[in-house]
Amino acid sequence: MPKERVLELLKNKPGEYVSGEYISDILGVSRAAVWKDIKALREESYHIESLTRKGYRLCHCPDTLSLPAILSSLQDAKREEYKDKIIILDCIDSTNNYAKKLAMEGAADKTVIIAREQTKGRGRMGRSFESLKDKGLYMSLILYPDIFPDKPMSLTAYAAVIISKAIEKACGIVADIKWINDLLINDKKIAGILTEISIEGETGKIEYLILGIGINVSWKKSEIIPQIRNTASSIKEETGKVVSLNELAANIINETDNLRDAWIFGNDDYRDYFISHCSTIGKEVISKPENLTVTAKGIDDDFALIVEYADGRTEKKRSGEIVMGTKS
Ligand code: BTN
């Protein structure tokens, strides 16, 4: 994949000229081949300047999702593995729906589906997930873990950790985690997770698992439906930071193996990260669907939320959701 490698070499020297000779030596290809790759990258909206005797300089990367950009941000060891596993769609109803269809047709493990836009993005509890074109990351990952799904919540919790880390790596902003599947900045939801698992009836084993991730990256409040303006926001709106969709996607893909291992074997570092970033703990919240005000006391070993009722009774909450604030 020399085109991606050329891009990587240019990215490694931000603002500097990189000579064609240097690139061709490193990649073991001809200068003409380098020039061909530069032309191909330009066609994908990369702005690359060229100067006689100096070489090439990357001036601007396109904001839009692209396979070369994602591959160039992946760890070296992952690039080859993912070159045929990332599917980028212009527009789809829901990447989770599409992923399910592919999984049933036998798609490869760790196939990633990313859409620039979703027309029927789905959230938990039958809700919709607003998915404006090029303004967020909408991706689904297909996994076939060979285990019995006795701890589905921990997968979502570990996924929240890798998404939070991916955002931090891409823009330096640390998001809070709202138990169990939301990420917040300034108490506004900026990302959510929808995990869907298909179980084989006879054996109880997992047929396939779809991990759906939605991150609001750059939409403005004025662009979004009024119903969610008070509770949701985007990274750009809350922090002013411009985050590359490609880098964000790559940061998440880089962590896929760690995520699966964490789910199967547990991971104390991720667990500590979840707990230390979980803004729910210690707060009075409304537990749904019961609609009761409770105090969130902590997280148990399986990521259930330990809640205390007004009468002092405690309980482990393994499903449903919590809403910040108290009942009026
Ligand atoms: C939630 O907030 O309740 C979960 C939101 C999950 C949204 C993502 S976007 C990619 C994937 N496709 C979907 O239809 N949903 C998930």
Side-chain angles (χ1 to χ4, degrees):
M1 288 167 295
K3 186 172 61 171
E4 287 78 33
R5 303 289 316 280
V6 170
L7 183 60
E8 192 199 350
L9 291 176
L10 295 178
K11 274 186 173 175
N12 285 345
K13 298 213 187 295
E16 285 177 40
Y17 280 95
V18 184
S19 75
E21 190 182 358
Y22 171 81
I23 299 174
S24 66
D25 282 354
I26 295 262
L27 302 185
V29 296
S30 68
R31 300 272 294 273
V34 173
W35 170 237
K36 219 172 120 218
D37 290 334
I38 296 281
K39 258 173 58 185
L41 288 166
R42 282 177 175 159
E43 271 156 30
E44 289 172 29
S45 301
Y46 288 90
H47 180 188
I48 300 169
E49 278 180 3
S50 54
L51 215 59
T52 322
R53 280 191 289 277
K54 281 198 138 184
Y56 305 103
R57 184 167 70 153
L58 180 62
C59 301
H60 176 75
C61 293
D63 244 0
T64 179
L65 284 160
S66 83
L67 186 61
I70 295 178
L71 292 175
S72 77
S73 293
L74 284 183
Q75 291 157 3
D76 291 349
K78 307 251 188 277
R79 232 168 260 138
E80 188 60 30
E81 180 184 3
Y82 279 98
K83 74 178 198 319
D84 298 321
K85 286 193 179 175
I86 301 173
I87 299 169
I88 298 180
L89 305 167
D90 212 38
C91 184
I92 193 77
D93 57 348
S94 150
T95 55
N96 266 34
N97 293 354
Y98 193 78
K100 262 189 229 174
K101 185 174 150 286
L102 291 190
M104 286 191 286
E105 288 166 3
D109 186 41
K110 295 194 264 183
T111 296
V112 183
I113 295 102
I114 308 178
R116 298 194 171 93
E117 179 182 16
Q118 292 185 123
T119 52
K120 285 196 181 122
R122 294 190 291 111
R124 281 173 88 219
M125 320 242 166
R127 294 196 194 103
S128 59
F129 186 83
E130 286 297 296
S131 313
L132 304 190
K133 190 172 178 69
D134 293 328
K135 305 265 164 118
L137 181 68
Y138 320 116
M139 74 186 265
S140 300
L141 183 66
I142 302 174
L143 295 173
Y144 303 99
D146 193 16
I147 54 167
F148 296 95
D150 55 346
K151 291 177 190 155
M153 274 201 312
S154 62
L155 176 71
T156 304
Y158 288 129
V161 170
I162 67 155
I163 296 165
S164 174
K165 283 174 176 264
I167 293 172
E168 189 176 349
K169 190 156 182 257
C171 68
I173 298 293
V174 181
D176 291 324
I177 300 173
K178 174 176 161 260
W179 184 90
I180 180 138
N181 73 320
D182 288 346
L183 281 106
L184 312 180
I185 296 179
N186 300 337
D187 287 335
K188 298 274 195 300
K189 172 167 172 167
I190 51 106
I193 303 161
L194 178 65
T195 312
E196 299 186 281
I197 303 181
S198 169
I199 313 270
E200 199 177 76
E202 291 78 31
T203 60
K205 273 203 160 185
I206 294 179
E207 276 179 331
Y208 60 82
L209 180 157
I210 311 292
L211 181 71
I213 297 169
I215 307 180
N216 305 329
V217 171
S218 60
W219 48 251
K220 296 194 189 85
K221 278 258 146 94
S222 56
E223 293 173 313
I224 205 76
I225 53 166
Q227 293 91 306
I228 63 167
R229 272 185 209 157
N230 288 335
T231 50
S233 192
S234 71
I235 299 176
K236 172 94 189 299
E237 189 82 348
E238 291 306 311
T239 69
K241 298 261 181 187
V242 178
V243 182
S244 149
L245 296 174
N246 296 303
E247 198 186 331
L248 208 46
N251 291 350
I252 294 171
I253 295 167
N254 275 331
E255 289 293 322
T256 304
D257 292 328
N258 291 340
L259 173 66
R260 187 205 305 248
D261 288 353
W263 190 39
I264 297 175
F265 306 112
N267 182 316
D268 286 344
D269 290 342
Y270 283 4
R271 209 187 128 67
D272 293 347
Y273 186 104
F274 185 94
I275 292 171
S276 62
H277 290 72
C278 183
S279 59
T280 316
I281 300 171
K283 296 229 173 85
E284 273 206 334
V285 294
I286 307 164
S287 178
K288 298 269 179 182
E290 315 88 296
N291 210 29
L292 289 172
T293 299
V294 297
T295 306
K297 295 300 243 184
I299 304 282
D300 86 347
D301 285 351
D302 296 333
F303 291 95
L305 185 69
I306 304 165
V307 298
E308 187 180 78
Y309 292 92
D311 61 7
R313 227 169 12 98
T314 61
E315 199 173 77
K316 288 181 179 179
K317 193 171 165 56
R318 295 184 193 282
S319 58
E321 63 173 349
I322 53 106
V323 177
M324 301 308 243
T326 50
K327 263 184 4 159
S328 49

